[in-house]
């Protein structure tokens, strides 16, 4: 039994690391074990160093949020909100935890009779109970500030690596001439900067994979989990297959817009609405130019056509390009959603409630309005007329208050 299991495991391992799948014809793993400049050739075992680095990045994040992001949030007027604790009720808590967080009219009537409570009181209980589990704006601000800082730093590092080394040392010629991505492939040794760039990016996404379970829980948790898995898979795959040159171009291209989105989120949380709108417009423009223009004309052109001409296709080549084409499909979908939000904002001055990504946004808005009414003794449909620290007209506040809610689709992770 043990020998059969070992034999099956050996067959699986041999299939997983088949040279005919991973490498071009007439190339073996032994060929890549030889000496090379820099860090040698990429090897799968190099990926083991990513995990302690990911743990280190997560530790740095905790310190950053505590000692840098939180003071910044307090400085711009974001304070830890006082959570309204609902009245303890075992029956309602059981329904909330096990059945539904949004009871329909029939269930509300049944609970009303069972508890001898007014239906409106039960609705308020469920609404406050949902809000009780929501993260505070301070927590979301700190999370976004960490991501903004990392995305900006890694983008600057990528530009420095690809641009400055090209200008002064001519070590990254593939930045301008993408055919260099396949010149002498796969015998392309790693440089120190390239190795650090790849491992930092991969470690960051591993840290996101782990921290997603303690971060702000959102509606797209499962989608983002799959997205992080796919990103980690693509980075790891390209490293093992030594497609790191074109991989650096893909990473730098995508990093160019990520920090703009996080910056827009920070402006949104700080109530700098005009700055938020401006950053979102810039983000949308950069996103569409890079993902719908540069990516297909620059990246896909070299991975599909130039590589075919210079090294020819082989099994992992098809998989790699299939993943990149799938990414392009996602770019088209996301660009459509961005354009739709921007178009509606320009035409109507707001985004309809149906475009909100977060189901909880409507109840959150209702709670904030109710709380404001209780404090001030007057009704307000938009929640506030003060933007960026200055009193504005009610028309501007009304339009941009709703527009701000619509942007929640993108002002998140």
């Amino acid at each position: 039994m043990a020998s059969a299991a070992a034999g099956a495991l050996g067959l699986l391992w041999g299939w997983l690391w088949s040279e005919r799948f991973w490498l071009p014809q007439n190339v073996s793993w032994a060929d890549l074990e030889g000496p090379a400049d820099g860090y040698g050739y990429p090897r799968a075992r190099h990926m083991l160093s990513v995990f302690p680095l990911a743990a280190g990045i997560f530790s740095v994040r905790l310190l950053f949020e505590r000692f840098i992001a939180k003071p910044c949030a307090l400085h711009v007027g974001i304070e830890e909100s006082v959570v309204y604790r609902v009245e303890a009720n075992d029956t309602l808590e059981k329904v909330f935890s096990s059945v539904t967080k949004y009871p329909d009219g029939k269930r509300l009537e049944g609970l009303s009779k069972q508890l001898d409570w007014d239906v409106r009181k039960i609705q308020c209980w469920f609404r406050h109970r949902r809000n009780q589990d929501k993260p505070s704006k301070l927590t979301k601000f700190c999370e976004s500030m960490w991501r903004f800082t990392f995305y900006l730093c890694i983008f600057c590092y990528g530009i420095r690596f690809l641009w400055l080394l090209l200008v002064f040392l001519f070590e990254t010629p593939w930045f301008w001439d993408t055919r260099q991505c396949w010149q002498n492939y796969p015998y392309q040794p790693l440089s120190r900067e390239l190795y650090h760039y790849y491992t930092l990016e991969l470690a960051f996404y591993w840290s996101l994979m782990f921290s997603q379970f303690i971060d702000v829980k959102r509606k797209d948790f499962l989608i983002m989990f799959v997205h992080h898995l796919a990103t980690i898979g693509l980075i790891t795959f390209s490293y093992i297959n030594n497609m790191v040159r074109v991989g650096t171009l893909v990473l730098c291209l995508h990093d160019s817009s990520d920090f703009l989105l996080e910056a827009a989120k920070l402006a949104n949380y700080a109530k700098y609405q005009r700055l938020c709108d401006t950053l979102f417009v810039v983000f949308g423009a950069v996103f569409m130019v890079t993902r719908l223009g540069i990516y297909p004309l620059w990246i896909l052109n070299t991975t599909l056509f130039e590589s075919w001409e210079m090294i020819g296709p082989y099994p992992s080549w098809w998989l790699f390009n299939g993943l990149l084409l799938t990414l392009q499909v996602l770019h088209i979908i996301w660009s459509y959603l961005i354009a739709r939000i921007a178009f509606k904002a320009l035409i109507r001055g707001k985004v309809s409630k149906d475009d909100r990504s977060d189901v909880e946004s409507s109840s959150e808005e209702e709670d904030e309005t109710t709380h404001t009414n209780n404090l001030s003794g007057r009704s307000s449909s938009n929640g506030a007329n003060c933007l960026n620290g200055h009193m504005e007209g009610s028309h501007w506040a009304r339009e941009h208050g709703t527009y701000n809610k619509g942007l929640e689709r993108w002002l998140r992770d």
Side-chain angles (χ1 to χ4, degrees):
M1 179 67 71
S3 59
L9 185 61
L11 289 175
L12 177 62
W13 185 259
W15 173 83
L16 182 63
W17 296 108
S18 171
E19 295 173 346
R20 299 282 63 82
F21 173 79
W22 286 99
L23 302 174
Q25 293 182 358
N26 303 321
V27 179
S28 66
W29 293 120
D31 297 331
L32 300 178
E33 290 287 356
D37 297 332
Y39 277 59
Y41 298 119
R43 302 295 292 166
R45 60 176 175 267
H46 295 170
M47 295 291 95
L48 297 177
S49 63
V50 166
F51 296 103
L53 183 57
I57 290 177
F58 182 72
S59 300
V60 171
R61 172 193 169 172
L62 295 179
L63 295 174
F64 178 90
E65 291 184 354
R66 174 66 179 84
F67 296 104
I68 299 179
K70 187 174 181 179
C72 290
L74 297 176
H75 179 73
V76 297
I78 300 175
E79 298 181 356
E80 189 73 54
S81 58
V82 179
V83 180
Y84 177 83
R85 311 298 297 185
V86 298
E87 177 183 348
N89 188 291
D90 294 338
T91 301
L92 296 181
E93 185 65 34
K94 183 178 181 180
V95 173
F96 181 87
S97 303
S98 306
V99 182
T100 178
K101 297 180 180 180
Y102 298 89
D104 55 19
K106 184 177 180 181
R107 188 176 298 276
L108 288 172
E109 291 290 344
L111 291 172
S112 176
K113 294 178 181 178
Q114 181 179 351
L115 299 173
D116 195 24
W117 281 19
D118 183 76
V119 172
R120 178 60 181 170
K121 183 177 180 181
I122 298 177
Q123 288 177 326
C124 290
W125 189 95
F126 274 92
R127 186 171 66 251
H128 288 302
R129 182 63 181 83
R130 289 193 298 267
N131 291 334
Q132 185 175 306
D133 290 342
K134 290 181 182 179
S136 65
K137 188 175 293 186
L138 178 62
T139 300
K140 293 188 286 187
F141 182 93
C142 293
E143 177 184 320
S144 291
M145 188 170 180
W146 160 249
R147 299 192 185 203
F148 165 77
T149 303
F150 181 86
Y151 287 140
L152 180 60
C153 291
I154 199 66
F155 174 67
C156 293
Y157 180 84
I159 289 296
R160 172 198 171 277
F161 163 64
L162 291 171
W163 172 262
L164 294 183
L165 290 184
L166 171 65
V167 173
F168 295 105
L169 301 177
F170 202 68
E171 291 185 1
T172 56
W174 63 87
F175 186 66
W176 288 120
D177 182 10
T178 53
R179 295 179 66 87
Q180 292 293 326
C181 292
W182 317 108
Q183 187 69 36
N184 200 33
Y185 177 85
Y187 304 104
Q188 298 172 343
L190 281 171
S191 66
R192 180 184 61 183
E193 292 80 6
L194 196 154
Y195 173 78
H196 290 163
Y197 186 38
Y198 241 75
T199 53
L200 274 175
E201 288 273 12
L202 185 57
F204 176 72
Y205 279 102
W206 270 116
S207 71
L208 286 184
M209 175 69 71
F210 299 141
S211 65
Q212 191 177 20
F213 296 95
I214 63 173
D215 281 344
V216 175
K217 295 296 188 299
R218 293 184 172 89
K219 184 182 177 182
D220 63 347
F221 173 85
L222 181 60
I223 296 175
M224 293 306 298
F225 182 79
V226 174
H227 171 268
H228 294 333
L229 270 181
T231 303
I232 290 171
L234 191 56
I235 295 175
T236 305
F237 176 87
S238 63
Y239 185 87
I240 295 174
N241 206 27
N242 202 14
M243 292 184 175
V244 290
R245 290 188 174 184
V246 71
T248 57
L249 301 181
V250 175
L251 290 173
C252 190
L253 188 72
H254 284 74
D255 290 337
S256 63
S257 61
D258 289 341
F259 71 92
L260 292 171
L261 177 59
E262 297 300 330
K265 291 166 65 175
L266 293 176
N268 174 50
Y269 297 142
K271 300 299 184 183
Y272 295 130
Q273 192 59 52
R274 289 180 176 175
L275 178 60
C276 171
D277 296 343
T278 302
L279 288 171
F280 181 77
V281 170
V282 175
F283 158 74
V286 172
F287 186 94
M288 292 185 185
V289 169
T290 55
R291 311 298 173 89
L292 300 185
I294 298 177
Y295 181 82
L297 297 178
W298 193 36
I299 303 296
L300 293 183
N301 176 67
T302 191
T303 60
L304 288 172
F305 303 109
E306 292 178 349
S307 65
W308 181 292
E309 176 186 343
M310 298 183 68
I311 65 175
Y314 53 97
S316 64
W317 180 94
W318 291 102
L319 177 59
F320 183 68
N321 280 284
L323 292 173
L324 292 177
L325 289 171
T326 302
L327 193 58
Q328 178 61 19
V329 173
L330 294 176
H331 292 165
I332 295 172
I333 296 174
W334 291 330
S335 296
Y336 165 74
L337 295 174
I338 294 175
R340 188 178 67 174
I341 291 176
F343 178 77
K344 289 185 177 181
L346 289 174
I347 296 302
R348 302 191 314 210
K350 61 181 180 179
V351 180
S352 64
K353 185 178 178 180
D354 294 336
D355 289 328
R356 298 177 187 175
S357 62
D358 193 347
V359 177
E360 290 291 326
S361 62
S362 58
S363 61
E364 180 180 6
E365 181 181 82
E366 182 180 353
D367 289 343
E368 290 175 353
T369 304
T370 303
H371 180 65
T372 303
N373 292 342
N374 291 337
L375 292 177
S376 63
R378 51 191 176 90
S379 176
S380 175
S381 62
N382 52 43
N385 287 328
C386 183
L387 300 174
N388 299 339
H390 301 283
M391 296 303 294
E392 302 286 349
S394 60
H395 176 70
W396 172 269
R398 181 166 54 254
E399 287 187 354
H400 285 72
T402 311
Y403 171 69
N404 178 48
K405 286 295 181 180
L407 289 185
E408 287 295 332
R409 183 177 191 87
W410 296 100
L411 304 186
R412 64 190 173 110
D413 239 340

